[in-house]
Amino acid sequence: MSTAPKADILLQVAMRAEAQPIIDRESLQSLGAVAPHCPAQAFTNTVAGRNVVLVAHGADPLHNCDRIGPIGAATTCAAALARFTPRLIVNIGTCGGFRSRGGAIADLHLPQRLAFHDQRVPIPGFREFARGEFQTPPAEALRAELGALGGLCSSGGSLDATPQDRAILDELEARCKDMEAAAIAFSARDWGVPLLVLKCVTDLVDHPEAVQDAFLRNFHGATVQLANATSVLLRSNNLPW
Ligand code: ADE
């Protein structure tokens, strides 16, 4: 493992295919594994005078696919926080949108609030812990600079949504649905590091088409859009630090 740089900005991306357009565009160089016994991979460069580190969750050694979802998100984030001690974390990735709340494919989101829709513990004291509601730092100017939407992003371990998930997503008035943001927020909160979440819509949760079909069709376009928005964010004077 190479010498640990300290990061100004830590970009956390679940899938290597989501990360690659950012790695290419910012000429990020590989640092190898984030930590021993951890599949997550780190890449770095200096961008606009800022030390930027991108971590991708890496491939699960048993199933040989990207370690997407909340478990990979929290474990990767904890390892990256320990190694890179960033000033700011930005979670970047694709998400589902909601046409009932005005959403469309390719919308960009920079949510103000995060939560979980599939963690349910109906026992006093644990309900709120499981729901995991979290506020991101104020970033109105950055949201305007990126042309991104605000609102709530809800995370869960599944790409699809059960009727009960859908009811909770509606109760939360979620504008986007992902599989990582609220889990990263847990680790970020422990370390007192501000977290921004940048998402691009590949599919609409409340559309009759199977989520995986829309996701696969719109995935590449979303990754290009995320790389463009990340380029603006990395050079922005409107970061919340
Ligand atoms: N990423 C892209 N689309 C998603 C969805 N509908 N749910 C969770 N994560 C996603």
Side-chain angles (χ1 to χ4, degrees):
M1 206 160 50
S2 26
T3 317
K6 300 298 176 188
D8 292 309
I9 304 175
L10 176 73
L11 307 176
Q12 182 168 344
V13 186
M15 298 176 72
R16 180 59 187 258
E18 289 169 321
Q20 198 61 47
I22 302 170
I23 293 169
D24 293 343
R25 185 167 180 144
E26 307 300 343
S27 303
L28 304 183
Q29 303 301 308
S30 176
L31 290 170
V34 170
H37 313 294
C38 173
Q41 298 293 310
F43 303 83
T44 190
N45 201 358
T46 303
V47 178
R50 294 163 176 164
N51 185 2
V52 175
V53 173
L54 180 149
V55 293
H57 290 192
D60 182 87
L62 188 60
H63 299 288
N64 199 28
C65 65
D66 290 309
R67 218 174 232 190
I68 60 170
I71 298 170
T75 54
T76 299
C77 189
L81 279 161
R83 176 160 172 197
F84 300 112
T85 57
R87 291 175 65 194
L88 172 71
I89 304 172
V90 188
N91 170 223
I92 301 167
T94 60
C95 69
F98 295 83
R99 58 179 181 166
S100 56
R101 287 184 271 283
I105 302 296
D107 281 349
L108 268 184
H109 289 265
L110 192 76
Q112 285 113 340
R113 293 190 301 135
L114 309 173
F116 288 103
H117 55 268
D118 72 350
Q119 295 196 153
R120 295 177 287 271
V121 183
I123 297 174
F126 290 92
R127 183 193 176 280
E128 292 74 20
F129 167 74
R131 181 59 63 86
E133 289 200 33
F134 183 90
Q135 300 254 0
T136 58
E140 275 315 316
L142 178 64
R143 196 168 286 111
E145 189 181 1
L146 297 174
L149 300 163
L152 182 138
C153 176
S154 187
S155 304
S158 300
L159 185 65
D160 65 4
T162 66
Q164 195 170 4
D165 291 339
R166 289 276 298 273
I168 294 170
L169 288 159
D170 287 344
E171 180 194 312
L172 289 166
E173 298 185 33
R175 306 278 305 274
C176 62
K177 168 181 176 286
D178 84 332
M179 296 176 69
E180 285 89 19
I184 293 170
F186 257 67
S187 294
R189 181 166 55 103
D190 284 345
W191 282 70
V193 177
L195 168 68
L196 292 176
V197 172
L198 176 64
K199 300 278 159 168
C200 185
V201 173
T202 49
D203 54 275
L204 296 165
V205 176
D206 49 0
H207 189 281
E209 183 181 18
V211 57
Q212 60 273 24
D213 295 346
F215 172 78
L216 292 171
R217 186 175 61 250
N218 296 314
F219 180 79
H220 176 70
T223 64
V224 173
Q225 220 188 315
L226 286 167
N228 292 340
T230 301
S231 169
V232 174
L233 182 148
L234 292 175
R235 294 162 176 81
S236 175
N237 293 320
N238 293 314
L239 298 179
W241 56 21

